[in-house]
Short mmCIF file of all heavy atoms in Angstrom, two decimals:
data_model
loop_
_atom_site.label_atom_id
_atom_site.label_comp_id
_atom_site.label_asym_id
_atom_site.label_seq_id
_atom_site.Cartn_x
_atom_site.Cartn_y
_atom_site.Cartn_z
N ALA A 1099 -4.74 19.44 4.89
CA ALA A 1099 -4.56 20.75 5.51
C ALA A 1099 -4.30 20.61 7.01
O ALA A 1099 -3.47 21.33 7.59
CB ALA A 1099 -5.78 21.63 5.26
N THR A 1100 -5.00 19.68 7.66
CA THR A 1100 -4.80 19.47 9.09
C THR A 1100 -3.40 18.95 9.39
O THR A 1100 -2.75 19.38 10.35
CB THR A 1100 -5.85 18.47 9.63
OG1 THR A 1100 -7.15 18.89 9.23
CG2 THR A 1100 -5.78 18.39 11.15
N VAL A 1101 -2.93 18.04 8.55
CA VAL A 1101 -1.57 17.52 8.71
C VAL A 1101 -0.55 18.65 8.60
O VAL A 1101 0.40 18.74 9.38
CB VAL A 1101 -1.29 16.42 7.66
CG1 VAL A 1101 0.21 16.10 7.59
CG2 VAL A 1101 -2.07 15.16 7.99
N GLN A 1102 -0.75 19.52 7.65
CA GLN A 1102 0.18 20.65 7.47
C GLN A 1102 0.18 21.54 8.72
O GLN A 1102 1.23 22.00 9.18
CB GLN A 1102 -0.23 21.47 6.23
CG GLN A 1102 -0.06 20.74 4.91
CD GLN A 1102 1.38 20.58 4.50
OE1 GLN A 1102 2.28 21.16 5.12
NE2 GLN A 1102 1.64 19.79 3.47
N GLN A 1103 -1.00 21.78 9.27
CA GLN A 1103 -1.10 22.65 10.46
C GLN A 1103 -0.40 22.03 11.67
O GLN A 1103 0.14 22.74 12.52
CB GLN A 1103 -2.57 22.90 10.80
CG GLN A 1103 -3.34 23.68 9.75
CD GLN A 1103 -4.83 23.62 9.99
OE1 GLN A 1103 -5.30 23.17 11.03
NE2 GLN A 1103 -5.62 24.07 9.00
N TRP A 1104 -0.41 20.71 11.74
CA TRP A 1104 0.12 20.01 12.90
C TRP A 1104 1.57 19.56 12.73
O TRP A 1104 2.09 18.82 13.58
CB TRP A 1104 -0.76 18.80 13.22
CG TRP A 1104 -1.91 19.18 14.10
CD1 TRP A 1104 -3.05 19.82 13.75
CD2 TRP A 1104 -2.00 18.94 15.51
NE1 TRP A 1104 -3.87 19.99 14.83
CE2 TRP A 1104 -3.25 19.45 15.94
CE3 TRP A 1104 -1.18 18.34 16.45
CZ2 TRP A 1104 -3.68 19.39 17.26
CZ3 TRP A 1104 -1.60 18.26 17.77
CH2 TRP A 1104 -2.83 18.80 18.16
N ARG A 1105 2.19 19.99 11.70
CA ARG A 1105 3.56 19.55 11.43
C ARG A 1105 4.46 19.83 12.63
O ARG A 1105 4.56 20.96 13.11
CB ARG A 1105 4.10 20.26 10.19
CG ARG A 1105 5.50 19.81 9.80
CD ARG A 1105 5.88 20.41 8.46
NE ARG A 1105 5.81 21.86 8.47
CZ ARG A 1105 5.82 22.62 7.39
NH1 ARG A 1105 5.87 22.06 6.21
NH2 ARG A 1105 5.78 23.92 7.48
N GLY A 1106 5.10 18.77 13.15
CA GLY A 1106 6.06 18.92 14.24
C GLY A 1106 5.46 19.08 15.62
O GLY A 1106 6.19 19.29 16.58
N ARG A 1107 4.14 18.98 15.76
CA ARG A 1107 3.50 19.23 17.05
C ARG A 1107 3.13 17.97 17.82
O ARG A 1107 2.64 18.04 18.94
CB ARG A 1107 2.24 20.08 16.84
CG ARG A 1107 2.54 21.50 16.35
CD ARG A 1107 1.29 22.21 15.87
NE ARG A 1107 0.24 22.24 16.89
CZ ARG A 1107 -1.01 22.62 16.65
NH1 ARG A 1107 -1.36 22.99 15.42
NH2 ARG A 1107 -1.90 22.63 17.61
N PHE A 1108 3.36 16.81 17.24
CA PHE A 1108 3.00 15.58 17.93
C PHE A 1108 4.08 15.15 18.91
O PHE A 1108 5.27 15.37 18.66
CB PHE A 1108 2.75 14.46 16.92
CG PHE A 1108 1.32 14.36 16.50
CD1 PHE A 1108 0.80 15.28 15.59
CD2 PHE A 1108 0.49 13.38 16.98
CE1 PHE A 1108 -0.51 15.21 15.18
CE2 PHE A 1108 -0.83 13.30 16.59
CZ PHE A 1108 -1.34 14.21 15.69
N PRO A 1109 3.69 14.54 20.02
CA PRO A 1109 4.68 14.06 21.00
C PRO A 1109 5.46 12.88 20.45
O PRO A 1109 4.96 12.11 19.63
CB PRO A 1109 3.82 13.64 22.19
CG PRO A 1109 2.50 13.28 21.59
CD PRO A 1109 2.31 14.22 20.44
N SER A 1110 6.68 12.74 20.92
CA SER A 1110 7.52 11.63 20.49
C SER A 1110 8.27 11.09 21.71
O SER A 1110 8.93 11.85 22.42
CB SER A 1110 8.53 12.12 19.45
OG SER A 1110 9.45 11.10 19.12
N PRO A 1111 8.16 9.78 22.01
CA PRO A 1111 7.37 8.79 21.29
C PRO A 1111 5.90 8.80 21.73
O PRO A 1111 5.53 9.56 22.61
CB PRO A 1111 8.03 7.47 21.71
CG PRO A 1111 8.49 7.75 23.12
CD PRO A 1111 8.93 9.20 23.12
N LEU A 1112 5.11 7.93 21.09
CA LEU A 1112 3.69 7.80 21.44
C LEU A 1112 3.58 6.65 22.45
O LEU A 1112 3.70 5.49 22.09
CB LEU A 1112 2.88 7.47 20.18
CG LEU A 1112 1.36 7.60 20.28
CD1 LEU A 1112 0.96 9.04 20.52
CD2 LEU A 1112 0.70 7.08 19.02
N PRO A 1113 3.36 6.96 23.74
CA PRO A 1113 3.40 5.92 24.77
C PRO A 1113 2.14 5.05 24.76
O PRO A 1113 1.02 5.55 24.75
CB PRO A 1113 3.49 6.73 26.07
CG PRO A 1113 2.86 8.05 25.74
CD PRO A 1113 3.12 8.30 24.28
N LEU A 1114 2.35 3.73 24.77
CA LEU A 1114 1.26 2.76 24.78
C LEU A 1114 1.40 1.84 25.99
O LEU A 1114 2.52 1.45 26.35
CB LEU A 1114 1.26 1.92 23.50
CG LEU A 1114 1.04 2.67 22.18
CD1 LEU A 1114 1.27 1.74 21.00
CD2 LEU A 1114 -0.34 3.28 22.12
N GLU A 1115 0.28 1.48 26.60
CA GLU A 1115 0.32 0.61 27.77
C GLU A 1115 -0.69 -0.51 27.60
O GLU A 1115 -1.84 -0.29 27.21
CB GLU A 1115 -0.01 1.41 29.04
CG GLU A 1115 0.08 0.59 30.32
CD GLU A 1115 -0.18 1.42 31.57
OE1 GLU A 1115 -0.33 2.66 31.43
OE2 GLU A 1115 -0.24 0.84 32.66
#
Side-chain angles (χ1 to χ4, degrees):
T1100 309
V1101 167
Q1102 293 288 351
Q1103 295 167 11
W1104 273 77
R1105 183 172 57 194
R1107 293 168 56 190
F1108 269 76
S1110 174
L1112 193 66
L1114 298 172
E1115 183 177 355

